[in-house]
Every structure is written in structure tokens, then in C-alpha cells.
Amino acid sequence: MEEEPLYLTIVTAEKFKKHQGFDLANFEHQFLSDVHTYKMLKVVSYGAFKENISRNFNIPSEQLRFWVHVNRQNKTVRPDDPIPEYYYNISMGEIHAKMTSRRDGMELYMEVADKPFNEKTWFPPMEGNNYIIVFLKYFDPDKQTLEGLGHLYVRRFDKVGDYTRVLCEKKEFPPDIPLKIYEEIKPNMIEEMKLEFTFQQSQIQNGDIICFQKALIEKDYKLCTITNRIHTIPQYYRLLTTFSVKVVPPIVTAEKFKKYQGFDLANFDHSDIHIYKILKEEIYGAFKENISRTFNIPSEQVRFWVFVNRQNKTIRPDSPISESRFNISMGKIHPKMTSEMKLYMEVADKPFDDKTWFPPMEGNNHILIFLKYFDPDKQTLEGLGHLYVQKFDKVGDYTRVLCEKKEFPPDTPLKIYEEIKPNMIEEMKLESTFEQSQIQDGDIICFQKILTKKDYESYTITNRIHNITQFYELLMTFTVKVVTAEIFIKYQEFYLANFEHQYNISKIATYGAFKENVARRFNILPEQIRFWVLVSRENKIVRPHTLIPDSFLNKSMNEIHEKMIPLKNEIKLYMELADKKINGNWFPSMEENINIMVFLKYFDPDAQTFEGLGHLYVRKYGKLGDYNRDLCMKKNFPSDTPLTIYKENKPNIVQELNLKYTFTQSDIQNGDIICFQKTLTDKEIQEHTEAGRIHNILNFYNSLNLRTIVSFKPKLEDRNSKPQFDLILNKQWTYDKASVALYLNTDPFKIRLTATCHTLKRTTNQTLLNQTLTYEIPTVFYEILDESNIEPVKPKEPKTEKLFKIIWLGNIVKHEEIIDICLQKDAIVSEIITEILKKVTLSSPNARIRLYKVMNHKIQKEYKETELIGMIKEFTTLYAEEIPQDELLADFNDRIIQVFHFTKEPHRTHGIPFKFIIKNGETLADLKIRLQLRLDMNQNDFEKIRVAIFSILSVITCEKPVYPKDDDIIVLEKIFSKIYYLGLDHEIEDKPVYIRG
């Protein structure tokens, strides 16, 4: 399944300051909080994201730190952990997966430091210290509002009352002003805090919100009561329970309507309209005054019309908000008029009569209509605002008025149309009245000049639209589907990808506007992207073929569609993204016709997956073998690693390529897909075969052809509620292999499967799909049987037993013990561990055992408890040990890595490797103390060992390691991950040292 883009919502201190609800912001309904939102590719690194935000806010990046919000059990959403700086080069997608459980987004708080915390850092460290970050809100009974005062670091063992002076400083009160302090517990529930309690006793943790106000005297209390104002924080929070939901009225003005090029008055999903956030309890009069101040128009010259959704799928102003509702809250007006409030702002430039600025709408013949003019010279629509007409007047009586609107001579002949429903218009009869034409408030009338024969010929020769009906046909949208590199990376099938990102765009929208729109969605610069048109080739594959040049920026998407793929009713595009400039350009030139863009897939036989590696520019006449180094670089392999390379030819057919041939000789063109893997030795092929794994690309593609989706449904839905789900299965799997027991976490023999008309047989020679009907997606019904209903199963034939010699290391270095274990081949690793537990004693009841394979004195694999022991090759060196407690209790920011022994040169390995935890922020000196204890070595022997750091690449290439100093902080400075090792260099060889790890 294709990966979705990452949505980021950022709260700043400035936005928090204005938030009037619970938590720091309302993330569930973002229109309720004025927060910053971003949409970005998951492959963007945290460092790049941070730099981008720092530029947006004009703040140095070192003064920024981001906290990830989490959903707590008490239904609050709070900042919980900061993103550590050693994640600088990690992608936002990885951070999202590590730090939040939300599927497609992250909510962040942007912490800004105005001065350094100490000489080394701008921020207080959050690990191993007593700091807690809390957020402050102040309730002002005079203004009847909450004010967010940003965050504050407190010490967990300080008393709450010790910080009253600090809170007074935040509001510039005298330091001895008595305060009432509360904590936000859960949605719309707060609790007064005891000043004599510590923050620890008050159960305050990172991200909690503290609210405070002045302790009122009796005079203040009486004043608030007389003026009907809320005087305490608990009262205000109770009010939020009823009225905290805000109304967002998108407002269409005549100015916005003038520029709009679509159907109706505006597109409320995409148009440039005004959006305001208001509390439901705000009265209509206050709302109106606020808007009038914003536009600098006297409020008496403004009235608002409410849009309604009509049955013909149009959205039109239907009725004005009456002035009699001046003192009624917007919350009461809102549900009476429509479920979603959209408004048209009518502005009067002169009074209608001596009494009012607007014509009354009850009991008279006035109709409010809107006007659009089509200009064939500019090929645009122009909104001309609104016009009041009399319902019994003839349409033709208003041609003079329409001419005045465009400053035409009054006798200019016009064609007049009505917008009937989306992208359908109808010419109006000039002799009919507006009543006869069924015109009502909010209807839209379009007009243009009647063209002369000469005008008509001129527009025809220049291939321009000459009448309104043609233009409205062009306004119809079509679909643009976009593939990104991010989607390609995860795609596991033939072709480039499925099409996740879809855009419905107007045919008259320019390519430049489309490009700007996509760039905004992904939060990147428009010049960093360009699009390739995907075409269907004769061999039934879809590939990027032609680049849309920047010279097309001002062409409409319809023109591009007709020029490049005229036979299709949609456009499929590949979005090429450049992360940096090369020789001053974002992209290589395609004009000289010497470069080809190819796509790369890597097949990993260990993981049994494809990995999309993006695209690569190659020379047409370059040999494939010349790019071996580039492909190795993509996977961080040594540059001379031998590779086998294939080309995707047509659906599920691939062809091995001759490395001596050029790309032209290999018939490779723009958009082709090249697949590669390491060239395996006979021994590696044998290992993969014995493990039941596919070892080459050709067979893996064949296996893709056997994949199918089977839908499983509970047979008896009225019993216990069980899920309906789909599984991807192999068409050749039998009943046992296709069992749903693993998905349902139950005994396989309790499962009974049924097709639409018969029970499926538990057989080894007939596939599951042969027993089901041949629908496009076969459906199988399942039951989970009681013990008494389990079908009798024939006894299995005895399996061949397998003998293992396990070297048990325990938790004391110098004690090694050989344990012989004999199990059936179909047993799993957890059964080995169970047998070990019968023969050894662990340090605690909660201790766990690790089983791992060692080759050349390095850990090659750590086995999962669910793995079949039949996959473990004979004569494999197996070690078992008790997992150290500090590893089981590792913090999120700690790193568990492999340690191995060597002498002088990295390839001169010896001894037994082991796993070891490196604590975040720990110096090498502290690490060595724990390391010595783990090795159980005396001081003299341990002093002969030097600790080295290796990357996986330096281990493979035998490069010289890095030897850190005792005061180096390993994790922060070396940014440890799974691709790093610690090496113990035993430089002095005169006396053998007993080592294990």
C-alpha cells in the first residue's frame, strides 16, 4: 500500500496566546485554532524541516526545538517529548513512526529560546534532570478571556507556591499579589492546586497546563456579578463546555467574486476567500462590527447573506441575516440557518432610501442576482458584483444596465445566460420576466457581447473560445494523478506505483498554477519540482515519457492534455524532486537528448522485498557496467560489489541485462525501471533456498504474479463481534498456510473456513483458492469453534528431529556451558528458549533470553521467538545469553549496538561478540566502567583495550576506526544507529586475555 504524505501541525507561543479552548490548540478541528499546518514528504530530514521552519519564522535554527504532542488516556493532547538533535539527519517519516501513533500526521509545539540555557546549549536537557516544561494560561475576568503565556520550566521537587512570584512577573503584577492556580486535568475539567505541594506531588508532567488568576476581593466579585460577567476560572471552563466550539464563516466579497474563474460565486474548498474564527457566544452585532473594522467600512453599510446548498448542487446566497438579530449570538443564528456557515458580504455604497441602506427583502419584488461577464479577448470571466432586479421586469429591460457595468454603449447587443447547475448554462429569453425565468435570490447571470462575423473569424483563426457556452465546457475539471519518489520507494509490485495523490483541477488552470498548488501541499519550492507525463506503451506498461517544460507554465492544463495525451481523460504525472542545485541548476537539461532518466529498484533476498531507490540520470551511450559504482553507492555497498541487473520489460516479465551493452543497445529509454541485486555465491544461493527464500529477481517477479487478495468475513456476525479483513496470500498456498489464526491470534485448529456454499478442506494438495469461487476478490467466511466443535485432525507424520548445540553464556562472562537440545524441525525458536530455561537459572523471574548466530566473531542474526528452527542451517554457531536488565530498561534515546573484539586491524577479529547499551549523553569514561563490568575483566587487562567506533561501511572496507576520547559523549556526537559498532582493540598480544562480552 502506498505511503501517505506527512501532515504537520505546529503550535507556536504566539498561537497559544490567542487560543480560547482546552489544551494548547484544537487539533481535531483545526479551523477552531489558528495553527500552522504543513504537508511534506516523509523522506525530508528533520534537519531540513527545521531549517525550513527557521527561515519561515526568521529565527536561527539552533534557537528552535520541537515537542511531539501525544494523545493521553485522559483525552488531552499535550507535548510529551522533544525531538532530539541527534535525529538531525533522520527522515521525518522515521521520527513520525518512532514518536507518535498517529497514522498520517504529527502535532508539534515549537519551543523558541530567546537566550542560551547555559554555555553549551540553548535548552535545558530533559533526560536525567528535574526539569518539567509546563504551559501557562491567565484568565482575565475583565476581558472574559484566557491568555496563553507560553511555557515555563519548573523543578519537580519545588513547591507550586514558590512560583507565584514568577507568575506575577508574567503579567507584570506586584510580586505579592495573591493568585489562584489551577491545573487542566481533562477536557473542560480543572482542579485547584495546593500551593504547599511540590509539582511531583501534584503529578505534574511535561506538557501539563497551569491556569491562574488574581484572587478576587469582595468588591471585584460583586462588580462581576452586577455586570453579569464570569469571575472565576472554573466558571469560565464550564462555559467552554457549552460554547467553546467556534464558527468559521468563509466570507465571499465582491472583490473576491470579481477574480473568480469557476462556477458559483466561489469554490469554498480552494478559492481565495476570507475565513474568520469566532466563538459561538459572540453576538451578530459584535461580529459585524469586527468585520466592518477589518474592511474599514461603516457597519451600517454591510449586511451578510447566508449561502445554502441547493438540490441542483449549486451553492448560493439565499437570505440575509436580519438586523433584528443584532443582539443574538452567532451560535443561535448558526444552527437555524445552515449546518455550515458561509456568507456573502453585501456592501452598500449609497442608501437605498431615507430609512435604510438596503432594500427590504420581505413583502417586495426585489431579487438579488450576481453578474459575470465573459471577455473573449482575455479568455476570462469577470465577476461584476450583484444587482437588484424586479421579479416582474423583463430580462431585456436590463441590457442597458449591463452595458453600463462594462462601460459599453447602451445599445450594444448582448447574449445573456443563467448558470443552471455545475458547468451547465442556458441562454435567457430577453422577453421573459425574471419570474417567468425562475430567477431567485442568489442566481448568477452571465453575459457577453454578440460577436460580429469578423470577430467570430478572428477568434476561430487564433484558436480562442468565442462564446460563454464553450468557456463553461472548458471549466469542467479532469483528474491529475501524481506519483512521487516516496511512493515508489515503498512500492512492491510491477510498474512504478499506484496513484495515491489525485487532484481535480479546472481545464483552464495553468500549468504554473497547478505546480504552485502541488508545491504548497508538499511544502517545497515550485522550482524544486518538475513533472513527467506518464504514457501507456505498446507493451502495456506505464512509464514517465515526456517532461513538461517550463515554457508551458502559462499554458492551460487542457492544452497540455491535448498536446501530450489527447486520448486519455486524465493526466498521470511523475513528480521529480530536486533537493539541491548542481552547477547552478535544479535539474539536468534534457534538451541535448544525451541523458536518460531511469528508475531503480533493489531486491533484498534476506528481506524478500523490493526497495525503490528513486531515479538516476544516465548517458544514452554509457555502458551499464560503468554505473555499477553508482548503484553500489545507492545501497552503501563497496564500490566493487558484483551486481546482477535486470530491466522490467512488460507486466511481470523481466530481462537480465548485459553489462557490456550501452543503455541505447539495451533499448532503455526515459522512465524505464532497472532492478538489481548483489550477485550471490553458490553458498548464499543454497542458504536462501534452504531457508525457503527466493534468491533472485526473476523468481521474485514470478511470485508477485501469484499474489492475490482474499477477503475474510465472520460467518456468524450475530455472535461475538469479529473483524472483517483482507489478507494478501499466495495462490499456491494450501489451507494450513492460508490460515487466519495468526491474524486472529487463536489456535489454528479452532478455525473453520467456508466458501459461499461449502466448507473448505484442510488438505495439503489442493490450494485454498482452488476451493473458493473465482471472484476478482475471493471471499471466505470463518468461524472460531469451541473446544467441543473442533474437527478431529489426523495425526501428523513424525517430523525429522534437529539437534542443536547451544553455547550458554549466562550473565557471568567466564562461565560457558554447552547445552544439547533436540526438537522437531517444525518447532520455533521459543521452544529452544523453553528447553534452555529447564537447564539454567536466571538472575530474576523477569529475565529474558537472547539466541543469536555468530560468524567470523560478529553477530550475524538475532533470532525472533516466532522463527522456525528448520530455517537455522546445520553447524550454525549458536549462542544464548541472559539479556542484561539495563538493556530491557533502555530509554527511548539510548542505543543498543553490537560490540566485537579485534587486534590492531578490524579484520583480525576474535572472541565472542555481544550486544551493549549506550546511554544517551554518556561519556566514554562512564561507558567504560559499565563495559568493564560486563566483560568481568580486571583493571590491568581492561587497560590494554582501546574502544573504537565503526560504521558498517568501515567494517566491510576494513577502514581505520575512530577512537573517541574519555570525555566524548558517544551517542550525541556519533549519532549511533543500527549501522554502528563498538570495537574493542586488544593491541598488546604478549599475554592472551580471556574475553567474551
Side-chain angles (χ1 to χ4, degrees):
M1 187 175 179
E2 299 136 0
E3 195 169 42
E4 295 181 354
L6 186 62
Y7 297 85
L8 298 177
T9 307
I10 299 178
V11 181
T12 61
E14 177 192 3
K15 300 300 183 184
F16 172 55
K17 181 181 177 71
K18 301 173 184 177
H19 178 56
Q20 291 300 301
F22 200 75
D23 287 328
L24 268 68
N26 190 318
F27 296 105
E28 192 171 327
H29 303 288
Q30 288 178 15
F31 60 85
L32 302 182
S33 295
D34 188 13
V35 293
H36 303 280
T37 56
Y38 299 87
K39 181 178 180 181
M40 63 188 300
L41 295 174
K42 289 184 179 178
V43 294
V44 172
S45 70
Y46 172 56
F49 160 73
K50 192 175 175 185
E51 291 292 337
N52 183 29
I53 299 299
S54 74
R55 285 195 299 272
N56 285 354
F57 286 91
N58 197 27
I59 302 169
S61 62
E62 61 269 20
Q63 289 178 238
L64 296 182
R65 162 161 90 170
F66 291 92
W67 290 72
V68 178
H69 284 72
V70 297
N71 294 300
R72 295 183 182 172
Q73 289 183 342
N74 62 357
K75 298 184 180 178
T76 59
V77 184
R78 298 290 164 80
D80 187 65
D81 280 306
I83 301 177
E85 279 306 299
Y86 57 79
Y87 278 12
Y88 193 86
N89 294 315
I90 294 179
S91 73
M92 292 299 288
E94 289 179 83
I95 292 173
H96 168 253
K98 287 174 184 286
M99 300 189 71
T100 179
S101 60
R102 279 202 55 190
R103 187 174 68 86
D104 62 348
M106 292 174 73
E107 290 103 13
L108 303 176
Y109 171 70
M110 184 174 81
E111 181 184 3
V112 180
D114 53 359
K115 60 182 179 181
F117 176 72
N118 56 32
E119 294 177 356
K120 295 183 179 179
T121 179
W122 284 87
F123 300 98
M126 300 310 295
E127 296 89 17
N129 69 76
N130 294 322
Y131 286 108
I132 305 170
I133 184 171
V134 297
F135 293 83
L136 306 176
K137 290 181 182 176
Y138 170 70
F139 172 61
D140 188 335
D142 294 322
K143 296 180 180 177
Q144 297 285 281
T145 58
L146 286 174
E147 178 188 358
L149 299 177
H151 62 268
L152 176 70
Y153 282 98
V154 299
R155 292 188 181 269
R156 65 180 71 237
F157 299 108
D158 286 350
K159 291 181 179 178
V160 175
D162 296 341
Y163 285 81
T164 54
R165 180 181 295 268
V166 179
L167 301 184
C168 287
E169 281 178 13
K170 288 279 185 181
K171 288 301 297 175
E172 299 181 353
F173 296 155
D176 56 350
I177 290 287
L179 302 176
K180 286 254 187 182
I181 303 176
Y182 299 81
E183 180 201 354
E184 281 192 6
I185 303 293
K186 58 183 179 180
N188 305 314
M189 171 185 170
I190 65 167
E191 192 174 272
E192 188 168 0
M193 301 181 72
K194 295 180 180 178
L195 303 188
E196 67 275 14
F197 276 23
T198 65
F199 289 99
Q200 176 88 347
Q201 290 170 321
S202 304
Q203 298 183 8
I204 297 296
Q205 56 184 306
N206 278 330
D208 278 343
I209 297 174
I210 290 174
C211 322
F212 70 97
Q213 71 174 101
K214 288 182 184 178
L216 300 181
I217 59 175
E218 187 177 355
K219 180 182 176 183
D220 296 327
Y221 174 80
K222 286 182 178 178
L223 182 62
C224 288
T225 305
I226 293 168
T227 55
N228 197 28
R229 283 181 295 166
I230 296 163
H231 58 277
T232 68
I233 289 178
Q235 283 181 309
Y236 188 80
Y237 270 82
R238 283 195 293 273
L239 189 69
L240 287 179
T241 307
T242 308
F243 295 112
S244 65
V245 178
K246 299 177 184 177
V247 179
V248 182
I251 298 178
V252 179
T253 62
E255 177 195 4
K256 300 297 182 184
F257 172 55
K258 180 180 176 70
K259 301 173 184 177
Y260 178 59
Q261 292 298 301
F263 199 75
D264 286 327
L265 266 69
N267 183 321
F268 289 96
D269 293 325
H270 303 104
S271 288
D272 182 16
I273 54 181
H274 302 282
I275 297 180
Y276 298 87
K277 302 165 185 66
I278 59 170
L279 287 170
K280 273 190 173 181
E281 64 265 27
E282 184 174 316
I283 63 171
Y284 172 58
F287 166 73
K288 190 177 175 184
E289 290 287 342
N290 182 33
I291 301 299
S292 68
R293 280 196 300 272
T294 301
F295 287 93
N296 197 25
I297 303 168
S299 62
E300 62 269 18
Q301 290 178 236
V302 174
R303 90 169 158 183
F304 292 95
W305 290 70
V306 179
F307 282 84
V308 297
N309 294 300
R310 295 183 181 172
Q311 289 184 341
N312 63 356
K313 299 183 180 179
T314 59
I315 303 174
R316 300 291 164 81
D318 184 68
S319 56
I321 301 177
S322 169
E323 286 302 302
S324 63
R325 297 184 175 181
F326 192 86
N327 292 314
I328 294 182
S329 72
M330 294 297 283
K332 290 182 179 178
I333 292 173
H334 174 251
K336 288 184 178 180
M337 304 195 111
T338 175
S339 61
E340 185 179 13
M341 187 174 274
K342 303 182 180 84
L343 303 176
Y344 172 70
M345 186 172 80
E346 180 185 2
V347 178
D349 53 359
K350 60 182 179 180
F352 177 72
D353 55 30
D354 294 339
K355 297 180 180 179
T356 177
W357 283 87
F358 301 98
M361 300 309 296
E362 293 96 14
N364 68 77
N365 295 323
H366 289 293
I367 304 171
L368 176 81
I369 63 171
F370 292 84
L371 305 175
K372 290 181 182 177
Y373 169 70
F374 172 61
D375 187 334
D377 293 320
K378 296 180 180 177
Q379 298 282 282
T380 58
L381 286 175
E382 178 187 358
L384 299 176
H386 62 266
L387 177 69
Y388 282 98
V389 298
Q390 297 277 349
K391 61 175 67 178
F392 299 109
D393 286 349
K394 291 182 179 179
V395 174
D397 297 341
Y398 285 82
T399 54
R400 181 181 293 269
V401 179
L402 300 184
C403 288
E404 281 179 12
K405 289 278 185 182
K406 287 302 297 175
E407 298 181 355
F408 296 156
D411 56 351
T412 302
L414 302 176
K415 281 217 173 196
I416 303 176
Y417 298 80
E418 180 200 355
E419 281 192 7
I420 303 292
K421 58 184 179 180
N423 305 314
M424 173 184 169
I425 64 169
E426 192 174 89
E427 189 169 357
M428 300 181 72
K429 295 177 181 178
L430 302 187
E431 65 275 11
S432 296
T433 66
F434 289 100
E435 175 85 348
Q436 291 169 329
S437 303
Q438 299 182 6
I439 298 297
Q440 55 184 307
D441 282 327
D443 277 343
I444 298 172
I445 288 175
C446 323
F447 68 97
Q448 72 172 101
K449 287 180 182 179
I450 294 176
L451 301 179
T452 64
K453 185 178 180 180
K454 182 180 178 182
D455 293 331
Y456 176 80
E457 289 174 352
S458 171
Y459 294 127
T460 304
I461 292 169
T462 55
N463 197 29
R464 284 181 295 168
I465 296 165
H466 58 274
N467 64 46
I468 291 178
T469 53
Q470 282 181 310
F471 189 81
Y472 269 83
E473 286 172 8
L474 196 63
L475 283 180
M476 294 179 68
T477 61
F478 59 93
T479 302
V480 177
K481 297 180 177 181
V482 178
V483 177
T484 63
E486 182 184 13
I487 296 171
F488 174 59
I489 286 170
K490 302 292 183 183
Y491 189 60
Q492 290 297 307
E493 302 288 342
F494 202 78
Y495 300 127
L496 206 62
N498 288 331
F499 294 90
E500 175 184 319
H501 302 293
Q502 296 192 18
Y503 303 84
N504 289 319
I505 63 169
S506 167
K507 289 185 177 181
I508 62 169
T510 64
Y511 171 56
F514 166 75
K515 197 174 173 183
E516 291 274 353
N517 181 28
V518 175
R520 277 196 303 273
R521 291 200 180 191
F522 286 96
N523 194 31
I524 47 183
L525 298 173
E527 55 266 30
Q528 283 181 256
I529 56 175
R530 66 178 178 181
F531 292 93
W532 293 73
V533 176
L534 280 82
V535 298
S536 297
R537 296 183 185 168
E538 290 181 0
N539 59 357
K540 297 182 181 180
I541 59 175
V542 179
R543 295 285 189 267
H545 182 264
T546 310
L547 179 68
I548 303 179
D550 279 346
S551 59
F552 280 20
L553 284 173
N554 293 319
K555 288 187 181 294
S556 72
M557 291 300 285
N558 189 61
E559 288 179 85
I560 292 172
H561 176 256
E562 289 182 350
K563 281 178 181 290
M564 304 182 93
I565 36 172
L567 300 180
K568 297 287 183 181
N569 59 1
E570 65 182 12
I571 300 179
K572 293 180 179 178
L573 302 176
Y574 170 70
M575 184 176 82
E576 183 183 359
L577 172 63
D579 55 357
K580 61 182 178 181
K581 288 186 177 181
I582 298 175
N583 298 326
N585 298 310
W586 287 103
F587 299 99
S589 171
M590 303 302 293
E591 293 178 1
E592 297 176 8
N593 201 27
I594 56 174
N595 292 320
I596 304 171
M597 181 178 71
V598 296
F599 291 85
L600 305 176
K601 287 182 183 178
Y602 169 71
F603 172 61
D604 185 340
D606 292 314
Q608 295 286 281
T609 57
F610 273 134
E611 179 187 357
L613 299 176
H615 61 267
L616 177 71
Y617 282 97
V618 298
R619 297 274 180 174
K620 271 186 178 182
Y621 302 105
K623 291 182 180 179
L624 275 84
D626 296 341
Y627 287 84
N628 197 94
R629 180 184 295 268
D630 297 89
L631 300 185
C632 289
M633 196 180 298
K634 287 279 186 180
K635 286 300 299 174
N636 293 324
F637 295 156
S639 58
D640 57 350
T641 302
L643 302 177
T644 305
I645 303 176
Y646 294 81
K647 172 193 171 188
E648 282 191 7
N649 266 354
K650 52 185 178 180
N652 298 315
I653 294 179
V654 294
Q655 170 194 351
E656 188 172 354
L657 298 174
N658 189 327
L659 302 188
K660 296 179 181 179
Y661 283 14
T662 66
F663 287 93
T664 301
Q665 289 170 326
S666 304
D667 195 25
I668 291 174
Q669 51 186 303
N670 273 328
D672 274 338
I673 298 174
I674 289 175
C675 324
F676 70 97
Q677 69 175 103
K678 286 182 180 177
T679 302
L680 302 178
T681 62
D682 291 341
K683 183 180 177 183
E684 289 170 327
I685 291 172
Q686 184 181 354
E687 286 179 356
H688 287 302
T689 303
E690 289 177 356
R693 292 192 296 263
I694 297 168
H695 66 270
N696 65 39
I697 288 174
L698 190 61
N699 290 338
F700 189 74
Y701 271 100
N702 291 336
S703 74
L704 293 180
N705 207 27
L706 294 172
R707 289 184 182 180
T708 189
I709 298 173
V710 178
S711 182
F712 290 90
K713 297 181 180 180
K715 185 175 182 180
L716 302 171
E717 295 185 8
D718 56 332
R719 287 190 182 177
N720 299 324
S721 59
K722 296 293 180 184
Q724 176 179 332
F725 54 92
D726 294 338
L727 293 179
I728 298 175
L729 304 178
N730 188 302
K731 292 177 183 178
Q732 296 178 341
W733 280 357
T734 59
Y735 185 109
D736 282 335
K737 282 191 176 181
S739 174
V740 299
L742 188 62
Y743 185 92
L744 295 170
N745 193 26
T746 190
D747 184 345
F749 293 101
K750 290 184 179 181
I751 297 291
R752 180 162 64 197
L753 302 180
T754 310
T756 51
C757 57
H758 64 282
T759 301
L760 305 184
K761 297 178 181 178
R762 192 180 295 275
T763 174
T764 58
N765 57 14
Q766 191 177 8
T767 66
L768 179 68
L769 294 177
N770 285 340
Q771 299 186 61
T772 61
L773 297 178
T774 55
Y775 295 134
E776 185 175 348
I777 298 182
T779 299
V780 175
F781 298 93
Y782 69 87
E783 298 171 82
I784 301 179
L785 304 174
D786 297 331
E787 294 286 346
S788 59
N789 293 327
I790 296 177
E791 298 171 347
V793 181
K794 294 180 181 179
K796 291 187 177 181
E797 294 179 8
K799 298 277 184 179
T800 306
E801 293 182 337
K802 194 160 187 176
L803 178 66
F804 295 93
K805 284 189 180 295
I806 311 291
I807 303 173
W808 170 247
L809 302 169
N811 60 358
I812 300 175
V813 166
K814 296 181 180 178
H815 287 181
E816 294 184 9
E817 178 184 356
I818 303 295
I819 299 176
D820 291 324
I821 293 175
C822 187
L823 291 169
Q824 299 288 341
K825 274 190 174 180
D826 61 351
I828 58 176
V829 168
S830 63
E831 294 178 58
I832 294 181
I833 292 173
T834 301
E835 292 299 312
I836 294 173
L837 286 170
K838 294 176 182 178
K839 302 180 181 184
V840 302
T841 302
L842 302 182
S843 62
S844 77
N846 298 322
R848 289 168 50 196
I849 289 176
R850 170 192 289 130
L851 183 73
Y852 59 97
K853 165 186 171 183
V854 170
M855 186 179 293
N856 296 327
H857 306 286
K858 294 193 187 77
I859 297 175
Q860 295 297 313
K861 178 180 176 64
E862 182 176 339
Y863 292 100
K864 297 177 183 176
E865 292 192 3
T866 55
E867 288 186 66
L868 288 170
I869 65 172
M871 300 294 188
I872 301 175
K873 193 177 177 183
E874 198 174 358
F875 307 120
T876 298
T877 304
L878 293 176
Y879 288 85
E881 67 170 353
E882 180 179 330
I883 301 175
Q885 285 298 307
D886 61 352
E887 187 175 323
L888 294 175
L889 300 173
D891 184 76
F892 174 80
N893 295 311
D894 297 338
R895 292 291 175 272
I896 298 168
I897 57 132
Q898 182 181 162
V899 183
F900 70 93
H901 304 270
F902 69 102
T903 301
K904 294 185 179 179
E905 299 296 332
H907 65 276
R908 296 176 63 189
T909 55
H910 54 84
I912 300 169
F914 59 99
K915 295 287 185 74
F916 188 70
I917 185 170
I918 298 183
K919 295 184 177 295
N920 184 47
E922 183 180 37
T923 63
L924 178 62
D926 293 334
L927 181 149
K928 284 163 74 174
I929 294 171
R930 292 192 301 106
L931 192 59
Q932 183 180 352
L933 291 171
R934 180 71 186 276
L935 293 168
D936 195 21
M937 295 177 69
N938 62 46
Q939 187 63 29
N940 288 335
D941 286 340
F942 188 76
E943 285 176 354
K944 298 172 184 176
I945 294 176
R946 294 178 67 196
V947 178
I949 294 175
F950 293 85
S951 69
I952 191 168
L953 186 60
S954 62
V955 170
I956 293 169
T957 57
C958 295
E959 293 175 6
K960 289 188 177 180
V962 175
Y963 292 93
K965 297 176 182 176
D966 278 356
D967 58 353
D968 280 352
I969 299 174
I970 304 298
V971 169
L972 287 180
E973 294 191 8
K974 300 303 176 188
I975 316 178
F976 256 68
S977 70
K978 291 180 181 178
I979 62 169
Y980 278 87
Y981 295 83
L982 275 189
L984 304 184
D985 186 356
H986 300 253
E987 290 184 314
I988 302 173
E989 298 181 273
D990 57 347
K991 180 182 177 182
V993 177
Y994 186 93
I995 56 172
R996 167 259 173 190

